[in-house]
Structure formats: C-alpha cells, structure tokens
Amino acid sequence: MGEDPLLRAAYALCRRTTRAHDPAIHALVQLMPAVLRPACWALWAAASALDDLADRPGVEPARRAADVESWTKALEHDLAVGASTDPIRHALVDTAARWRLDLSDLRGAMATTREDARGLRFADWAQWRAWCSREVAPWVEQVRHLFDQAGAPMTLRLDRQADYRHFVDGAQLTDTLTDLSTDLAQGHLLLPREAMEPFPGAEEDLIRRRWSPAVAALIAEMTVLGRRWLTRPAMTRGMHPGAAIVLDTAAGLMRLQLDAVDAAGPTLLARPPRPSVAARARVLLPARLRSAVAWSLTPLTVPAVRPAAAVVVKTSGPGPAAEDAGLRPPPPHRDGARPPHIAADKMPEHVAIIMDGNGRWAQQRGLGRQEGHRVGTAAAHEMVYGALEIGLRHLTLYTFSTENWKRDTDEVTTIFQTVQHELDHGPLRDLNVRQRWSGRPDRLPEDLVHALEREEHRTRDRTGLTLTICLDYGGRDEITRTAAALAQAARVGDVDPRLIGPDDFARHLPHPDMPDVDLLWRTGDEQRTSNFLPWHTAYAELYFTPDHWPDVDRRDLWQAITEYGRRQRRHGAALTSSEHQRPSPHTQPDSRH
C-alpha cells in the first residue's frame, strides 16, 4: 500500500467492513498470508457493499436495483482511471491493478445481486444452485486467483470438482439458514420449494415468520444436508497446506454455524444465530498456529509497486457479450470455400471426432510420427473454424487416450508440448470458443493441467462453440469413475440407490451438461469407436473416412454434417410409410476430388 494515506484508510475501512459484515470471513482472512489480506478485505467489502445496497430495508426494489447498477457502473469508470472517490472501490481498484485481477469475472455476480434486489424465489435445487454459482463462486474465484498470483495455488483438481461444487452449496446453504430472519423481513425465502415440499405447511409458516413443527423439521433436515455438503476432505488433498488449512477451517466454522442454527429454535426467525466465542476459538486457535507454520515455509510472490492505473475492465453491460466484443471471426478458407447452408433440423448439436492417422501420415513421408501430430494441429484449427462458420454448438476432439501412454516417449512428449503451445499461444484463444477438457488429471504434466484449467476458466462465458479436448481420456475409465462418484453420492445420502436411473448417472459425469453425440466421425480408414465417449455416443451416427487427419480441413467437416443430414434418425421408432418410400441416401463426392 506504500505511503498513500488515502489508500491505507481505504483498506482499513474494507477490513472493518469485512469484520462487521461477516466475522467468520474476517477470521479466515487472518489465516492467509499478510500480503494477501488487504486484497481479500477489498473483495469482501465490495461484495458486502453491493449486498447492503440490494437489501436496504424500507427502499423500493426498483430503487435498490438501480443503486446496485450505479455502483457497478461507477466501478467500471474507476477501473479505467485507476482510482476512486469511494474508499471501498478505491481499494478494489488498487487490488485489481496490483494483483492483475480480471474483475470482468465478477460481472455476472454483480448482475445477479442487482436482480436479487427485486426479490428471490426458487422452484428447485437446480435453480438455487445456478443462483449460488452466479452469486458466490465468482468472488471465491478471485481469491483463488490471488493465491495463484502469490505462488501458492489453491488448485482444485478436475476429479474433485463435484466436491468443490458441494462445498460452495454447503457454504451458501449455511448463509441462507443463518440469515433466514433478515431475508424473511425483506420478503426473500431462499430455500427452494423442492426442499420445503416434504414438510407441509413449512413454506407458509416461514413466510408468516411462525415457528412450527414443520419448520423445525425442515431446519433440522437442512442443517444435516449442509453438514454433509461441507464435509469434503478429498477437496484439499494435494493442495498447498496453507490453502488447505483455510478451506478446512472454513468448513469447521460453517459447521459451528449450523450447530448454532440447530440450537436457535424459534429465535432463528427473529435474529441470526451466532456460535459462542469459546466454540469459535476451539476451531480458530489451532488453525492460526498451523497456518503460520505453513506460510512461513512458503516463499510468496509479492507485487513490488502499485501500477499507475488499472486495466480497463468491463464489469457491467450485456453480460458475456462485453467480453466477446474483442473476439475475432474465424479466418476464411485458404481456397475461398464457403460453408454450405444446413437447415436447422439437419444440424447436429454435437460432433465428436477421432483424429486418426497422424503417425501414418508422417511415416508415409519419411518423417517421425511426432511430426504428424504437429501438422495435425492445423486440421484441428480447420475443424474449429468450420464449426464456427456453420454454427455448430459442440465439438469434441479425441486428442490422447488412456491407451496412448503405450506409445514412444518422444511421441507422447510431442503431443503434450503441442497441446501446451496451443493453449498458451494458439489461434483459437481469440475466437468465440469456450474451451474445456475431459480426462484424467493425475497423470498429465502439472504445467499442462494448469494451462487446461486456465483456458477453461478464461473462456467459460463465451457463447459460441464449446470445444472439448479429450486428453488422457478413456470411455471405460470415465464410466468407472462416474460409477464410483455415484456410489459415493449414494453412501452419503445424496441419491437413493433404489431409484438410480440414467439421469442420475449423467449428472455425475465429468461434464454433466455435455449433450449426447449426434455424429461420431473417424478419419484414417479405421472403423472403430476406440473407447471414445461410450455413454454419449449410444445413439450417434457413425461416419468413417479414409484420409489421414493432417489431410482434412473444414470442408470435410461440412461434408460429414451434410451426410448426417441425410440419415434417418429414429432412436428405436418404426419407419413411417413415407420414409419407407424414400430412396436410400448416398454420400456425395467431395467437390475437391
């Protein structure tokens, strides 16, 4: 903070605001390295300021929403000039510049807070979780980024993402129960109706702020659920010990809070319950000793000086489009080929490709197999360009399988280096492509995993093509790990094993929102699916072509999709009489040949 008295005063206000608004958060910040604490105070004070604007008693909802919007627009201006007359925003602007935070990640959270001012009700847990994801997760992600910048990453492995989501759910449910009296006074009932339905009369009693047996049973059930969500010991395995202590302590404090909710009884509807000082001390004192030791052993990266001004970051506006404004369109085909017109009802939603033939292509030219993988990246670019040009929503590329570890070490190394270079410097970075990956994270190089996670996080709000890279992926491995996750969910009571169906299984896949594959295409003159997306390809149309992967371009993708449009997809239904009379479709020759 240097010698700037205004800045010191701004951070001091943020610290007081954090402590007054949420003592537990303040206690957790005290477990962090001293160099990170001011930034955390600024982030939580900003979130608190927005919450206070959205929840002011006696103010019309439209006015509260307008005030939140005004505050976020003022932050946009302040980020552009690198300072603010508002002390909390002044500290936040300094934090963003000092630690190179991308505050555009908070745009969705701020917009959600603005909408919260108009009143909230949720029909089911899915709506409630979506709200949690928009409202809470972006602020937590900023703290994770602080740890990364300081050189002590709070890494959350992909195979533990479900634990992370449950932990966030548990934290939000704890807050919801703690603030029940305050929210009810504002006209908010944040528990989803799905949770209240098994307790007839509980919803009406809560709205009337009346304690009843139904309400008591509901609260008891919710505290049990909250404790179950918060108890995720696997989440911190392999994490920096200092960061792990912070998260473990957070879980301990929230369980104490749930104990206080349980013990409050009817007073829960009158005022927020608080754990005793002695109970908090039992959790915090040993955590402070352990965190001090953990951080003393870690050399941290500390920003030397404050930059003159922060980077301009859009924090309000039309959502993801604000970020996408700087994205470029795909380059045209080198020969001027234009995409075909494909009717909406003939367009697949999801195309998956087995990119086969790189090694054989290279060997036919007297080159090492690894050269085929380097050249094959151009074909992958072409697939993305072609997919964007025709409006395909999902494209999945089989890049490296669990069986490919059997290959020569040089070839494996080249594949990983090529993927790493693409993530760091490739031409897809500035396209409207949401990138993500699927596979086992535990055997890949750590730098590659970090790059994959970085791009997944950086592009998560993009609205164009969703590109999934399957790396160290095996279909049977995916099904086995999903079955294990489902068994664990059944063991802790998240699902009833007697009622498990396909939808339950799909929800525990690594990417539950990935749609089924409509078209599976394999190059290289092989006709096997090779353990690729077996769950998602159960009803896929199969398409095999002889060309090796480096020889294909976007026109081949268009041809594959055109052929898909000629197929009759019935999913087990019988042909109609008109379909029986249609001639069988035939693949048209590629216009290049």
Side-chain angles (χ1 to χ4, degrees):
M1 287 178 278
E3 299 301 320
D4 183 347
L6 289 178
L7 194 56
R8 286 201 307 273
Y11 277 111
L13 175 62
C14 289
R15 179 178 184 174
R16 294 194 301 272
T17 301
T18 302
R19 186 168 190 170
H21 200 276
D22 196 330
I25 291 294
H26 182 267
L28 290 174
V29 173
Q30 296 305 102
L31 300 179
M32 299 178 187
V35 68
L36 290 180
R37 292 172 195 168
C40 292
W41 296 332
L43 285 166
W44 254 276
S48 300
L50 286 167
D51 282 343
D52 289 344
L53 287 173
D55 293 337
R56 281 181 302 160
V59 179
E60 289 295 320
R63 181 64 207 171
R64 285 185 269 141
D67 288 344
V68 173
E69 175 71 9
S70 177
W71 198 96
T72 56
K73 285 187 174 180
L75 176 61
E76 180 181 334
H77 170 268
D78 296 343
L79 286 165
V81 301
S84 176
T85 56
D86 178 271
I88 289 178
R89 288 200 302 269
H90 186 45
L92 184 60
V93 167
D94 178 77
T95 290
R98 186 184 297 270
W99 292 98
R100 295 185 293 279
L101 299 184
D102 181 3
L103 295 188
S104 63
D105 288 351
L106 297 176
R107 181 176 56 242
M110 292 179 177
T112 300
T113 301
R114 183 177 67 245
E115 294 307 311
D116 290 353
R118 303 181 186 276
L120 290 172
R121 296 302 297 274
F122 305 110
D124 52 31
W125 285 114
Q127 287 185 2
W128 183 86
R129 286 191 176 94
W131 170 71
C132 291
S133 179
R134 294 191 304 269
E135 176 87 1
V136 180
W139 295 97
V140 177
E141 288 298 323
Q142 293 294 326
V143 176
R144 287 188 62 206
H145 185 68
L146 283 174
F147 277 80
D148 289 345
Q149 293 287 81
M154 192 180 283
T155 305
L156 295 173
R157 300 178 66 94
L158 287 189
D159 54 353
R160 294 170 193 155
Q161 290 296 311
D163 285 331
Y164 171 57
R165 289 192 295 269
H166 278 304
F167 187 85
V168 171
D169 289 347
Q172 191 60 36
L173 182 57
T174 302
D175 282 349
T176 297
L177 295 172
T178 299
D179 296 335
L180 192 59
S181 60
T182 304
D183 290 335
L184 289 172
Q186 292 290 325
H188 300 319
L189 179 51
L190 302 187
L191 292 172
R193 287 194 175 93
E194 180 184 352
M196 295 183 284
E197 283 173 356
F199 305 93
E203 181 176 4
E204 182 180 351
D205 288 337
L206 283 172
I207 292 171
R208 295 175 179 236
R209 305 180 72 179
R210 183 174 60 204
W211 188 259
S212 67
V215 169
L218 169 66
I219 298 302
E221 178 74 14
M222 292 300 98
T223 56
V224 169
L225 181 61
R227 289 188 189 93
R228 189 163 69 229
W229 282 344
L230 290 169
T231 306
R232 301 286 157 177
M235 187 175 69
T236 57
R237 288 176 191 159
M239 191 178 287
H240 183 283
I245 290 167
V246 171
L247 287 178
D248 288 340
T249 306
L253 289 174
M254 286 186 282
R255 284 192 289 267
L256 279 183
Q257 188 62 48
L258 291 173
D259 291 343
V261 170
D262 263 337
T267 63
L268 182 67
L269 304 185
R271 60 182 179 273
R274 299 296 178 197
S276 69
V277 173
R280 285 165 49 87
R282 284 195 296 271
V283 172
L284 287 172
L285 289 179
R288 287 170 185 163
L289 292 173
R290 287 186 288 115
S291 65
V293 172
W295 295 120
S296 70
L297 301 175
T298 304
L300 297 177
T301 302
V302 182
V305 294
R306 176 182 179 236
V311 178
V312 178
V313 180
K314 297 292 184 183
T315 57
S316 60
E323 180 205 347
D324 293 347
L327 300 177
R328 61 182 178 85
H333 187 269
R334 62 181 179 276
D335 295 335
R338 301 292 300 164
H341 172 72
I342 299 175
D345 62 342
K346 301 295 183 181
M347 173 71 78
E349 182 181 10
H350 186 184
V351 174
I353 306 177
I354 301 174
M355 306 180 292
D356 196 14
N358 285 325
R360 282 172 287 155
W361 180 92
Q363 289 172 328
Q364 289 174 1
R365 290 159 176 78
L367 304 172
R369 289 178 56 87
Q370 58 266 33
E371 293 304 314
H373 297 296
R374 293 193 179 100
V375 176
T377 59
H381 297 160
E382 278 288 299
M383 293 307 111
V384 173
Y385 300 155
L388 286 168
E389 286 184 317
I390 61 173
L392 183 67
R393 300 301 303 165
H394 289 265
L395 176 67
T396 300
L397 302 180
Y398 205 2
T399 305
F400 187 86
S401 76
T402 51
E403 290 77 25
N404 288 156
W405 290 102
K406 303 172 186 176
R407 296 187 178 185
D408 180 79
T409 302
D410 288 343
E411 183 177 354
V412 172
T413 300
T414 296
I415 292 172
F416 291 161
Q417 289 175 341
T418 301
V419 174
Q420 178 88 49
H421 183 271
E422 286 297 305
L423 294 167
D424 293 341
H425 309 291
L428 307 185
R429 289 174 53 84
D430 298 324
L431 301 177
N432 191 10
V433 175
R434 174 192 176 202
Q435 295 193 51
R436 61 185 186 178
W437 73 290
S438 187
R440 292 184 56 173
D442 52 312
R443 300 189 294 190
L444 297 174
E446 186 175 347
D447 288 348
L448 178 56
V449 172
H450 286 164
L452 289 161
E453 291 176 337
R454 180 200 68 216
E455 288 307 290
E456 186 166 286
H457 179 77
R458 188 179 69 88
T459 64
R460 69 192 185 283
D461 290 329
R462 292 187 179 176
T463 57
L465 174 71
T466 294
L467 173 66
T468 303
I469 302 298
C470 289
L471 202 62
D472 197 10
Y473 173 89
R476 287 183 174 179
D477 177 74
E478 178 180 66
I479 287 177
T480 300
R481 290 188 291 122
T482 300
L486 191 57
Q488 174 66 13
R491 188 179 72 83
V492 300
D494 287 344
V495 296
D496 185 340
R498 297 167 299 179
L499 302 176
I500 289 175
D503 289 344
D504 299 293
F505 190 92
R507 281 196 296 271
H508 288 80
L509 287 164
H511 293 296
D513 60 336
M514 177 185 281
D516 284 349
V517 174
D518 299 303
L519 173 64
L520 174 61
W521 169 27
R522 180 171 187 153
T523 62
D525 208 23
E526 300 285 355
Q527 299 191 14
R528 299 185 301 275
T529 58
S530 295
N531 198 24
F532 185 39
L533 297 174
W535 180 268
H536 299 87
T537 58
Y539 291 98
E541 296 293 324
L542 305 181
Y543 182 74
F544 303 105
T545 56
D547 289 338
H548 295 142
W549 180 249
D551 288 327
V552 305
D553 68 16
R554 70 187 81 176
R555 292 173 294 183
D556 295 279
L557 174 67
W558 298 338
Q559 179 65 29
I561 291 175
T562 300
E563 167 62 18
Y564 166 86
R566 299 189 184 105
R567 304 274 180 96
Q568 296 174 358
R569 308 195 75 213
R570 298 182 298 279
H571 299 290
L575 285 171
T576 65
S577 57
S578 61
E579 287 173 329
H580 273 297
Q581 296 169 2
R582 292 177 192 162
S584 299
H586 298 285
T587 302
Q588 297 298 314
D590 192 320
S591 60
R592 289 179 292 163
H593 303 314

